[in-house]
Amino acid sequence: DTGVSQDPRHKITKRGQNVTFRCDPISEHNRLYWYRQTLGQGPEFLTYFQNEAQLEKSRLLSDRFSAERPKGSFSTLEIQRTEQGDSAMYLCASSLVGGATYNEQFFGPGTRLTVL
Amino acid sequence: AQSVTQLDSHVSVSEGTPVLLRCNYSSSYSPSLFWYVQHPNKGLQLLLKYTSAATLVKGINGFEAEFKKSETSFHLTKPSAHMSDAAEYFCVLSGSARQLTFGSGTQLTVLP
């Protein structure tokens, strides 16, 4: 399967712990996006990378959230000092700028975070 | 600022009858609009997209959407619903940096 993959699929943690999620985009895609989806809502944009550069991060929910894409391939999203309100599905998507798919974003299956 | 409003949170139809999922948008520039579908425990899948070409857009699985600038609408339709169409549907607007703005979703139920 050559789609977007995310790991882990599920994460249960205690309040105050740090968590890190990984996203592996489609291999030739140069843009990578992170979204958060809470129950009953549509996904909301958090941040995105073009290659290794993080071009937008003002929408990250607080300074407890950070993301990296060190070599322009996979990306990680870290949440420090988790709170119960962080419980949500975290989605990753990738796209190829300028490609035939016209910036279509391909989504991974998501990581479901539960903070106890 | 840009936004997407899905006018119905739940739509219920009988199998074999038409589907209409309504979406209005607000954008300060010519928008790119999409419909995505999300089946339970599966990732978001693109149904169709409008990118300033033809205003009537055909997608996968028999779905269509018509872009109406005068009404700022992008409603999703299908002539005949199938049981497998039951899912959550999102109307989506693409921003200047291509980040997506999602509507709140419409849950489609298909009754036998």
Side-chain angles (χ1 to χ4, degrees), chain A residues 32-65:
Chain A
L32 187 148
Y33 299 79
W34 284 99
Y35 294 83
R36 183 181 80 157
Q37 184 176 20
T38 54
L39 200 61
Q41 298 296 319
E44 61 177 322
F45 168 76
L46 296 178
T47 187
Y48 86 99
F49 295 84
Q50 179 149 328
N51 300 313
E52 66 274 11
Q54 189 173 14
L55 298 185
E56 172 61 63
K57 57 181 180 180
S58 66
R59 305 278 286 276
L60 285 168
L61 300 164
S62 78
D63 58 7
R64 297 185 296 106
F65 288 70

PDB file of all heavy atoms in Angstrom, chain A residues 32-65:
ATOM      1  N   LEU A  32       2.919  18.292   3.374  1.00  0.00           N
ATOM      2  CA  LEU A  32       2.364  17.440   4.420  1.00  0.00           C
ATOM      3  C   LEU A  32       1.586  18.329   5.377  1.00  0.00           C
ATOM      4  O   LEU A  32       2.067  19.383   5.797  1.00  0.00           O
ATOM      5  CB  LEU A  32       3.490  16.699   5.151  1.00  0.00           C
ATOM      6  CG  LEU A  32       3.069  15.634   6.174  1.00  0.00           C
ATOM      7  CD1 LEU A  32       4.112  14.518   6.221  1.00  0.00           C
ATOM      8  CD2 LEU A  32       2.838  16.222   7.533  1.00  0.00           C
ATOM      9  N   TYR A  33       0.382  17.893   5.717  1.00  0.00           N
ATOM     10  CA  TYR A  33      -0.523  18.672   6.545  1.00  0.00           C
ATOM     11  C   TYR A  33      -0.930  17.858   7.782  1.00  0.00           C
ATOM     12  O   TYR A  33      -1.069  16.640   7.709  1.00  0.00           O
ATOM     13  CB  TYR A  33      -1.810  19.001   5.775  1.00  0.00           C
ATOM     14  CG  TYR A  33      -1.630  19.817   4.522  1.00  0.00           C
ATOM     15  CD1 TYR A  33      -1.207  19.226   3.333  1.00  0.00           C
ATOM     16  CD2 TYR A  33      -1.903  21.175   4.512  1.00  0.00           C
ATOM     17  CE1 TYR A  33      -1.054  19.970   2.176  1.00  0.00           C
ATOM     18  CE2 TYR A  33      -1.764  21.932   3.354  1.00  0.00           C
ATOM     19  CZ  TYR A  33      -1.335  21.326   2.197  1.00  0.00           C
ATOM     20  OH  TYR A  33      -1.189  22.071   1.052  1.00  0.00           O
ATOM     21  N   TRP A  34      -1.173  18.587   8.853  1.00  0.00           N
ATOM     22  CA  TRP A  34      -1.757  17.982  10.058  1.00  0.00           C
ATOM     23  C   TRP A  34      -3.099  18.657  10.347  1.00  0.00           C
ATOM     24  O   TRP A  34      -3.214  19.882  10.267  1.00  0.00           O
ATOM     25  CB  TRP A  34      -0.845  18.143  11.273  1.00  0.00           C
ATOM     26  CG  TRP A  34       0.344  17.235  11.298  1.00  0.00           C
ATOM     27  CD1 TRP A  34       1.625  17.536  10.931  1.00  0.00           C
ATOM     28  CD2 TRP A  34       0.373  15.875  11.743  1.00  0.00           C
ATOM     29  NE1 TRP A  34       2.450  16.442  11.106  1.00  0.00           N
ATOM     30  CE2 TRP A  34       1.705  15.421  11.608  1.00  0.00           C
ATOM     31  CE3 TRP A  34      -0.584  14.993  12.243  1.00  0.00           C
ATOM     32  CZ2 TRP A  34       2.097  14.121  11.959  1.00  0.00           C
ATOM     33  CZ3 TRP A  34      -0.200  13.708  12.586  1.00  0.00           C
ATOM     34  CH2 TRP A  34       1.127  13.277  12.442  1.00  0.00           C
ATOM     35  N   TYR A  35      -4.076  17.814  10.714  1.00  0.00           N
ATOM     36  CA  TYR A  35      -5.408  18.281  11.079  1.00  0.00           C
ATOM     37  C   TYR A  35      -5.824  17.594  12.380  1.00  0.00           C
ATOM     38  O   TYR A  35      -5.347  16.509  12.697  1.00  0.00           O
ATOM     39  CB  TYR A  35      -6.448  17.919   9.999  1.00  0.00           C
ATOM     40  CG  TYR A  35      -6.267  18.600   8.668  1.00  0.00           C
ATOM     41  CD1 TYR A  35      -5.369  18.089   7.731  1.00  0.00           C
ATOM     42  CD2 TYR A  35      -6.996  19.735   8.335  1.00  0.00           C
ATOM     43  CE1 TYR A  35      -5.198  18.707   6.498  1.00  0.00           C
ATOM     44  CE2 TYR A  35      -6.842  20.355   7.099  1.00  0.00           C
ATOM     45  CZ  TYR A  35      -5.945  19.838   6.196  1.00  0.00           C
ATOM     46  OH  TYR A  35      -5.778  20.451   4.973  1.00  0.00           O
ATOM     47  N   ARG A  36      -6.763  18.227  13.074  1.00  0.00           N
ATOM     48  CA  ARG A  36      -7.362  17.603  14.245  1.00  0.00           C
ATOM     49  C   ARG A  36      -8.859  17.521  14.030  1.00  0.00           C
ATOM     50  O   ARG A  36      -9.478  18.483  13.550  1.00  0.00           O
ATOM     51  CB  ARG A  36      -7.065  18.416  15.509  1.00  0.00           C
ATOM     52  CG  ARG A  36      -7.611  17.763  16.776  1.00  0.00           C
ATOM     53  CD  ARG A  36      -7.329  18.580  18.003  1.00  0.00           C
ATOM     54  NE  ARG A  36      -8.284  19.672  18.146  1.00  0.00           N
ATOM     55  CZ  ARG A  36      -8.560  20.253  19.307  1.00  0.00           C
ATOM     56  NH1 ARG A  36      -7.950  19.839  20.401  1.00  0.00           N
ATOM     57  NH2 ARG A  36      -9.411  21.241  19.363  1.00  0.00           N
ATOM     58  N   GLN A  37      -9.435  16.371  14.384  1.00  0.00           N
ATOM     59  CA  GLN A  37     -10.877  16.191  14.249  1.00  0.00           C
ATOM     60  C   GLN A  37     -11.455  15.754  15.583  1.00  0.00           C
ATOM     61  O   GLN A  37     -11.101  14.686  16.094  1.00  0.00           O
ATOM     62  CB  GLN A  37     -11.207  15.161  13.168  1.00  0.00           C
ATOM     63  CG  GLN A  37     -12.703  15.013  12.911  1.00  0.00           C
ATOM     64  CD  GLN A  37     -13.009  14.061  11.785  1.00  0.00           C
ATOM     65  OE1 GLN A  37     -12.196  13.228  11.399  1.00  0.00           O
ATOM     66  NE2 GLN A  37     -14.206  14.174  11.212  1.00  0.00           N
ATOM     67  N   THR A  38     -12.326  16.582  16.139  1.00  0.00           N
ATOM     68  CA  THR A  38     -13.019  16.204  17.361  1.00  0.00           C
ATOM     69  C   THR A  38     -14.384  15.625  17.010  1.00  0.00           C
ATOM     70  O   THR A  38     -14.880  15.798  15.894  1.00  0.00           O
ATOM     71  CB  THR A  38     -13.170  17.403  18.300  1.00  0.00           C
ATOM     72  OG1 THR A  38     -13.806  18.475  17.576  1.00  0.00           O
ATOM     73  CG2 THR A  38     -11.817  17.888  18.798  1.00  0.00           C
ATOM     74  N   LEU A  39     -14.976  14.961  17.973  1.00  0.00           N
ATOM     75  CA  LEU A  39     -16.206  14.203  17.737  1.00  0.00           C
ATOM     76  C   LEU A  39     -17.310  15.108  17.196  1.00  0.00           C
ATOM     77  O   LEU A  39     -17.590  16.167  17.755  1.00  0.00           O
ATOM     78  CB  LEU A  39     -16.649  13.552  19.046  1.00  0.00           C
ATOM     79  CG  LEU A  39     -17.602  12.379  18.910  1.00  0.00           C
ATOM     80  CD1 LEU A  39     -16.947  11.255  18.116  1.00  0.00           C
ATOM     81  CD2 LEU A  39     -18.026  11.884  20.285  1.00  0.00           C
ATOM     82  N   GLY A  40     -17.895  14.712  16.088  1.00  0.00           N
ATOM     83  CA  GLY A  40     -19.008  15.450  15.521  1.00  0.00           C
ATOM     84  C   GLY A  40     -18.621  16.681  14.726  1.00  0.00           C
ATOM     85  O   GLY A  40     -19.505  17.442  14.301  1.00  0.00           O
ATOM     86  N   GLN A  41     -17.336  16.886  14.513  1.00  0.00           N
ATOM     87  CA  GLN A  41     -16.876  18.064  13.776  1.00  0.00           C
ATOM     88  C   GLN A  41     -16.045  17.659  12.571  1.00  0.00           C
ATOM     89  O   GLN A  41     -15.544  16.534  12.499  1.00  0.00           O
ATOM     90  CB  GLN A  41     -16.024  18.957  14.690  1.00  0.00           C
ATOM     91  CG  GLN A  41     -16.776  19.489  15.892  1.00  0.00           C
ATOM     92  CD  GLN A  41     -17.918  20.402  15.497  1.00  0.00           C
ATOM     93  OE1 GLN A  41     -17.790  21.221  14.603  1.00  0.00           O
ATOM     94  NE2 GLN A  41     -19.064  20.220  16.142  1.00  0.00           N
ATOM     95  N   GLY A  42     -15.881  18.589  11.659  1.00  0.00           N
ATOM     96  CA  GLY A  42     -14.966  18.361  10.565  1.00  0.00           C
ATOM     97  C   GLY A  42     -13.538  18.609  11.019  1.00  0.00           C
ATOM     98  O   GLY A  42     -13.294  19.289  12.018  1.00  0.00           O
ATOM     99  N   PRO A  43     -12.577  18.063  10.294  1.00  0.00           N
ATOM    100  CA  PRO A  43     -11.176  18.304  10.651  1.00  0.00           C
ATOM    101  C   PRO A  43     -10.834  19.791  10.617  1.00  0.00           C
ATOM    102  O   PRO A  43     -11.358  20.530   9.788  1.00  0.00           O
ATOM    103  CB  PRO A  43     -10.412  17.541   9.553  1.00  0.00           C
ATOM    104  CG  PRO A  43     -11.367  16.493   9.088  1.00  0.00           C
ATOM    105  CD  PRO A  43     -12.714  17.132   9.177  1.00  0.00           C
ATOM    106  N   GLU A  44      -9.943  20.209  11.508  1.00  0.00           N
ATOM    107  CA  GLU A  44      -9.456  21.581  11.496  1.00  0.00           C
ATOM    108  C   GLU A  44      -7.958  21.566  11.259  1.00  0.00           C
ATOM    109  O   GLU A  44      -7.211  20.758  11.811  1.00  0.00           O
ATOM    110  CB  GLU A  44      -9.802  22.315  12.802  1.00  0.00           C
ATOM    111  CG  GLU A  44      -9.212  21.710  14.033  1.00  0.00           C
ATOM    112  CD  GLU A  44      -9.514  22.519  15.294  1.00  0.00           C
ATOM    113  OE1 GLU A  44      -9.510  23.759  15.235  1.00  0.00           O
ATOM    114  OE2 GLU A  44      -9.752  21.883  16.335  1.00  0.00           O
ATOM    115  N   PHE A  45      -7.523  22.484  10.432  1.00  0.00           N
ATOM    116  CA  PHE A  45      -6.125  22.579  10.024  1.00  0.00           C
ATOM    117  C   PHE A  45      -5.248  23.019  11.192  1.00  0.00           C
ATOM    118  O   PHE A  45      -5.600  23.934  11.941  1.00  0.00           O
ATOM    119  CB  PHE A  45      -6.019  23.582   8.877  1.00  0.00           C
ATOM    120  CG  PHE A  45      -4.616  24.001   8.541  1.00  0.00           C
ATOM    121  CD1 PHE A  45      -3.779  23.158   7.838  1.00  0.00           C
ATOM    122  CD2 PHE A  45      -4.148  25.247   8.930  1.00  0.00           C
ATOM    123  CE1 PHE A  45      -2.488  23.555   7.518  1.00  0.00           C
ATOM    124  CE2 PHE A  45      -2.860  25.649   8.613  1.00  0.00           C
ATOM    125  CZ  PHE A  45      -2.032  24.805   7.902  1.00  0.00           C
ATOM    126  N   LEU A  46      -4.093  22.364  11.327  1.00  0.00           N
ATOM    127  CA  LEU A  46      -3.141  22.730  12.381  1.00  0.00           C
ATOM    128  C   LEU A  46      -1.870  23.370  11.814  1.00  0.00           C
ATOM    129  O   LEU A  46      -1.460  24.450  12.235  1.00  0.00           O
ATOM    130  CB  LEU A  46      -2.749  21.486  13.188  1.00  0.00           C
ATOM    131  CG  LEU A  46      -3.852  20.794  13.987  1.00  0.00           C
ATOM    132  CD1 LEU A  46      -3.304  19.560  14.684  1.00  0.00           C
ATOM    133  CD2 LEU A  46      -4.498  21.754  14.975  1.00  0.00           C
ATOM    134  N   THR A  47      -1.221  22.658  10.868  1.00  0.00           N
ATOM    135  CA  THR A  47       0.056  23.125  10.356  1.00  0.00           C
ATOM    136  C   THR A  47       0.367  22.388   9.063  1.00  0.00           C
ATOM    137  O   THR A  47      -0.251  21.364   8.766  1.00  0.00           O
ATOM    138  CB  THR A  47       1.174  22.887  11.389  1.00  0.00           C
ATOM    139  OG1 THR A  47       2.394  23.489  10.940  1.00  0.00           O
ATOM    140  CG2 THR A  47       1.422  21.399  11.616  1.00  0.00           C
ATOM    141  N   TYR A  48       1.337  22.951   8.299  1.00  0.00           N
ATOM    142  CA  TYR A  48       1.763  22.219   7.112  1.00  0.00           C
ATOM    143  C   TYR A  48       3.220  22.492   6.787  1.00  0.00           C
ATOM    144  O   TYR A  48       3.800  23.494   7.215  1.00  0.00           O
ATOM    145  CB  TYR A  48       0.859  22.499   5.909  1.00  0.00           C
ATOM    146  CG  TYR A  48       1.203  23.732   5.084  1.00  0.00           C
ATOM    147  CD1 TYR A  48       1.930  23.622   3.897  1.00  0.00           C
ATOM    148  CD2 TYR A  48       0.757  24.989   5.469  1.00  0.00           C
ATOM    149  CE1 TYR A  48       2.211  24.738   3.126  1.00  0.00           C
ATOM    150  CE2 TYR A  48       1.039  26.114   4.703  1.00  0.00           C
ATOM    151  CZ  TYR A  48       1.761  25.989   3.530  1.00  0.00           C
ATOM    152  OH  TYR A  48       2.039  27.092   2.767  1.00  0.00           O
ATOM    153  N   PHE A  49       3.794  21.569   6.044  1.00  0.00           N
ATOM    154  CA  PHE A  49       5.184  21.633   5.608  1.00  0.00           C
ATOM    155  C   PHE A  49       5.240  21.560   4.088  1.00  0.00           C
ATOM    156  O   PHE A  49       4.463  20.841   3.471  1.00  0.00           O
ATOM    157  CB  PHE A  49       5.980  20.440   6.154  1.00  0.00           C
ATOM    158  CG  PHE A  49       6.107  20.411   7.641  1.00  0.00           C
ATOM    159  CD1 PHE A  49       5.103  19.876   8.434  1.00  0.00           C
ATOM    160  CD2 PHE A  49       7.242  20.908   8.263  1.00  0.00           C
ATOM    161  CE1 PHE A  49       5.218  19.838   9.805  1.00  0.00           C
ATOM    162  CE2 PHE A  49       7.379  20.875   9.640  1.00  0.00           C
ATOM    163  CZ  PHE A  49       6.364  20.342  10.414  1.00  0.00           C
ATOM    164  N   GLN A  50       6.174  22.296   3.537  1.00  0.00           N
ATOM    165  CA  GLN A  50       6.570  22.056   2.161  1.00  0.00           C
ATOM    166  C   GLN A  50       8.011  21.582   2.225  1.00  0.00           C
ATOM    167  O   GLN A  50       8.891  22.332   2.674  1.00  0.00           O
ATOM    168  CB  GLN A  50       6.449  23.294   1.283  1.00  0.00           C
ATOM    169  CG  GLN A  50       6.888  23.002  -0.138  1.00  0.00           C
ATOM    170  CD  GLN A  50       6.171  23.827  -1.174  1.00  0.00           C
ATOM    171  OE1 GLN A  50       5.010  24.192  -1.016  1.00  0.00           O
ATOM    172  NE2 GLN A  50       6.870  24.140  -2.251  1.00  0.00           N
ATOM    173  N   ASN A  51       8.220  20.343   1.798  1.00  0.00           N
ATOM    174  CA  ASN A  51       9.493  19.670   2.040  1.00  0.00           C
ATOM    175  C   ASN A  51       9.771  19.726   3.551  1.00  0.00           C
ATOM    176  O   ASN A  51       8.912  19.355   4.329  1.00  0.00           O
ATOM    177  CB  ASN A  51      10.587  20.283   1.183  1.00  0.00           C
ATOM    178  CG  ASN A  51      10.253  20.164  -0.293  1.00  0.00           C
ATOM    179  OD1 ASN A  51       9.866  19.088  -0.756  1.00  0.00           O
ATOM    180  ND2 ASN A  51      10.341  21.265  -1.030  1.00  0.00           N
ATOM    181  N   GLU A  52      10.925  20.236   3.973  1.00  0.00           N
ATOM    182  CA  GLU A  52      11.205  20.239   5.416  1.00  0.00           C
ATOM    183  C   GLU A  52      10.804  21.547   6.102  1.00  0.00           C
ATOM    184  O   GLU A  52      10.896  21.669   7.316  1.00  0.00           O
ATOM    185  CB  GLU A  52      12.680  19.938   5.674  1.00  0.00           C
ATOM    186  CG  GLU A  52      13.641  20.991   5.188  1.00  0.00           C
ATOM    187  CD  GLU A  52      14.014  20.810   3.722  1.00  0.00           C
ATOM    188  OE1 GLU A  52      13.376  19.993   3.028  1.00  0.00           O
ATOM    189  OE2 GLU A  52      14.945  21.514   3.262  1.00  0.00           O
ATOM    190  N   ALA A  53      10.369  22.532   5.320  1.00  0.00           N
ATOM    191  CA  ALA A  53      10.045  23.843   5.882  1.00  0.00           C
ATOM    192  C   ALA A  53       8.600  23.879   6.394  1.00  0.00           C
ATOM    193  O   ALA A  53       7.664  23.541   5.659  1.00  0.00           O
ATOM    194  CB  ALA A  53      10.243  24.911   4.823  1.00  0.00           C
ATOM    195  N   GLN A  54       8.456  24.314   7.627  1.00  0.00           N
ATOM    196  CA  GLN A  54       7.123  24.468   8.208  1.00  0.00           C
ATOM    197  C   GLN A  54       6.634  25.875   7.848  1.00  0.00           C
ATOM    198  O   GLN A  54       7.119  26.873   8.385  1.00  0.00           O
ATOM    199  CB  GLN A  54       7.169  24.282   9.722  1.00  0.00           C
ATOM    200  CG  GLN A  54       5.802  24.209  10.375  1.00  0.00           C
ATOM    201  CD  GLN A  54       5.881  23.856  11.854  1.00  0.00           C
ATOM    202  OE1 GLN A  54       6.948  23.906  12.462  1.00  0.00           O
ATOM    203  NE2 GLN A  54       4.752  23.495  12.442  1.00  0.00           N
ATOM    204  N   LEU A  55       5.689  25.969   6.948  1.00  0.00           N
ATOM    205  CA  LEU A  55       5.290  27.252   6.382  1.00  0.00           C
ATOM    206  C   LEU A  55       4.128  27.905   7.106  1.00  0.00           C
ATOM    207  O   LEU A  55       3.843  29.086   6.876  1.00  0.00           O
ATOM    208  CB  LEU A  55       4.963  27.077   4.896  1.00  0.00           C
ATOM    209  CG  LEU A  55       6.122  26.595   4.021  1.00  0.00           C
ATOM    210  CD1 LEU A  55       5.726  26.583   2.558  1.00  0.00           C
ATOM    211  CD2 LEU A  55       7.359  27.462   4.227  1.00  0.00           C
ATOM    212  N   GLU A  56       3.439  27.154   7.934  1.00  0.00           N
ATOM    213  CA  GLU A  56       2.316  27.732   8.663  1.00  0.00           C
ATOM    214  C   GLU A  56       2.190  26.974   9.967  1.00  0.00           C
ATOM    215  O   GLU A  56       2.016  25.765   9.953  1.00  0.00           O
ATOM    216  CB  GLU A  56       1.030  27.622   7.842  1.00  0.00           C
ATOM    217  CG  GLU A  56      -0.234  28.019   8.598  1.00  0.00           C
ATOM    218  CD  GLU A  56      -0.215  29.463   9.062  1.00  0.00           C
ATOM    219  OE1 GLU A  56      -0.165  30.362   8.204  1.00  0.00           O
ATOM    220  OE2 GLU A  56      -0.232  29.687  10.288  1.00  0.00           O
ATOM    221  N   LYS A  57       2.283  27.693  11.065  1.00  0.00           N
ATOM    222  CA  LYS A  57       2.115  27.023  12.356  1.00  0.00           C
ATOM    223  C   LYS A  57       1.311  27.848  13.335  1.00  0.00           C
ATOM    224  O   LYS A  57       1.186  27.491  14.491  1.00  0.00           O
ATOM    225  CB  LYS A  57       3.461  26.632  12.963  1.00  0.00           C
ATOM    226  CG  LYS A  57       4.437  27.766  13.163  1.00  0.00           C
ATOM    227  CD  LYS A  57       5.747  27.209  13.745  1.00  0.00           C
ATOM    228  CE  LYS A  57       6.754  28.309  13.951  1.00  0.00           C
ATOM    229  NZ  LYS A  57       8.029  27.794  14.525  1.00  0.00           N
ATOM    230  N   SER A  58       0.760  28.951  12.839  1.00  0.00           N
ATOM    231  CA  SER A  58      -0.007  29.805  13.741  1.00  0.00           C
ATOM    232  C   SER A  58      -1.307  29.158  14.198  1.00  0.00           C
ATOM    233  O   SER A  58      -1.910  29.596  15.172  1.00  0.00           O
ATOM    234  CB  SER A  58      -0.298  31.143  13.059  1.00  0.00           C
ATOM    235  OG  SER A  58      -1.156  30.946  11.951  1.00  0.00           O
ATOM    236  N   ARG A  59      -1.726  28.124  13.477  1.00  0.00           N
ATOM    237  CA  ARG A  59      -2.989  27.468  13.814  1.00  0.00           C
ATOM    238  C   ARG A  59      -2.788  26.298  14.788  1.00  0.00           C
ATOM    239  O   ARG A  59      -3.768  25.649  15.160  1.00  0.00           O
ATOM    240  CB  ARG A  59      -3.663  26.980  12.543  1.00  0.00           C
ATOM    241  CG  ARG A  59      -3.851  28.080  11.515  1.00  0.00           C
ATOM    242  CD  ARG A  59      -5.071  28.927  11.764  1.00  0.00           C
ATOM    243  NE  ARG A  59      -6.265  28.211  11.415  1.00  0.00           N
ATOM    244  CZ  ARG A  59      -6.759  28.132  10.198  1.00  0.00           C
ATOM    245  NH1 ARG A  59      -6.142  28.731   9.197  1.00  0.00           N
ATOM    246  NH2 ARG A  59      -7.860  27.447   9.965  1.00  0.00           N
ATOM    247  N   LEU A  60      -1.563  26.024  15.153  1.00  0.00           N
ATOM    248  CA  LEU A  60      -1.359  25.027  16.209  1.00  0.00           C
ATOM    249  C   LEU A  60      -2.058  25.520  17.469  1.00  0.00           C
ATOM    250  O   LEU A  60      -2.034  26.709  17.793  1.00  0.00           O
ATOM    251  CB  LEU A  60       0.131  24.805  16.465  1.00  0.00           C
ATOM    252  CG  LEU A  60       0.855  23.991  15.400  1.00  0.00           C
ATOM    253  CD1 LEU A  60       2.357  24.062  15.578  1.00  0.00           C
ATOM    254  CD2 LEU A  60       0.385  22.551  15.396  1.00  0.00           C
ATOM    255  N   LEU A  61      -2.657  24.617  18.194  1.00  0.00           N
ATOM    256  CA  LEU A  61      -3.638  24.987  19.205  1.00  0.00           C
ATOM    257  C   LEU A  61      -3.044  25.664  20.425  1.00  0.00           C
ATOM    258  O   LEU A  61      -3.739  26.420  21.103  1.00  0.00           O
ATOM    259  CB  LEU A  61      -4.408  23.724  19.607  1.00  0.00           C
ATOM    260  CG  LEU A  61      -5.131  23.092  18.401  1.00  0.00           C
ATOM    261  CD1 LEU A  61      -5.539  21.666  18.706  1.00  0.00           C
ATOM    262  CD2 LEU A  61      -6.332  23.927  18.007  1.00  0.00           C
ATOM    263  N   SER A  62      -1.808  25.356  20.730  1.00  0.00           N
ATOM    264  CA  SER A  62      -1.126  26.011  21.838  1.00  0.00           C
ATOM    265  C   SER A  62       0.354  25.716  21.688  1.00  0.00           C
ATOM    266  O   SER A  62       0.762  24.966  20.805  1.00  0.00           O
ATOM    267  CB  SER A  62      -1.646  25.483  23.179  1.00  0.00           C
ATOM    268  OG  SER A  62      -1.085  24.216  23.473  1.00  0.00           O
ATOM    269  N   ASP A  63       1.159  26.322  22.581  1.00  0.00           N
ATOM    270  CA  ASP A  63       2.603  26.050  22.492  1.00  0.00           C
ATOM    271  C   ASP A  63       2.958  24.659  22.991  1.00  0.00           C
ATOM    272  O   ASP A  63       4.128  24.264  22.954  1.00  0.00           O
ATOM    273  CB  ASP A  63       3.399  27.123  23.240  1.00  0.00           C
ATOM    274  CG  ASP A  63       3.015  27.224  24.705  1.00  0.00           C
ATOM    275  OD1 ASP A  63       2.222  26.386  25.182  1.00  0.00           O
ATOM    276  OD2 ASP A  63       3.487  28.159  25.374  1.00  0.00           O
ATOM    277  N   ARG A  64       1.982  23.893  23.419  1.00  0.00           N
ATOM    278  CA  ARG A  64       2.241  22.497  23.780  1.00  0.00           C
ATOM    279  C   ARG A  64       2.315  21.609  22.531  1.00  0.00           C
ATOM    280  O   ARG A  64       2.783  20.483  22.619  1.00  0.00           O
ATOM    281  CB  ARG A  64       1.135  21.977  24.697  1.00  0.00           C
ATOM    282  CG  ARG A  64       1.028  22.695  26.049  1.00  0.00           C
ATOM    283  CD  ARG A  64      -0.019  22.049  26.941  1.00  0.00           C
ATOM    284  NE  ARG A  64      -1.386  22.159  26.379  1.00  0.00           N
ATOM    285  CZ  ARG A  64      -2.039  21.148  25.839  1.00  0.00           C
ATOM    286  NH1 ARG A  64      -1.491  19.935  25.787  1.00  0.00           N
ATOM    287  NH2 ARG A  64      -3.268  21.319  25.359  1.00  0.00           N
ATOM    288  N   PHE A  65       1.862  22.144  21.412  1.00  0.00           N
ATOM    289  CA  PHE A  65       1.857  21.390  20.157  1.00  0.00           C
ATOM    290  C   PHE A  65       3.059  21.808  19.320  1.00  0.00           C
ATOM    291  O   PHE A  65       3.321  23.003  19.151  1.00  0.00           O
ATOM    292  CB  PHE A  65       0.580  21.668  19.364  1.00  0.00           C
ATOM    293  CG  PHE A  65      -0.658  21.047  19.929  1.00  0.00           C
ATOM    294  CD1 PHE A  65      -1.224  21.508  21.108  1.00  0.00           C
ATOM    295  CD2 PHE A  65      -1.278  20.002  19.268  1.00  0.00           C
ATOM    296  CE1 PHE A  65      -2.374  20.933  21.626  1.00  0.00           C
ATOM    297  CE2 PHE A  65      -2.430  19.416  19.768  1.00  0.00           C
ATOM    298  CZ  PHE A  65      -2.983  19.879  20.951  1.00  0.00           C
TER     299      PHE A  65
END
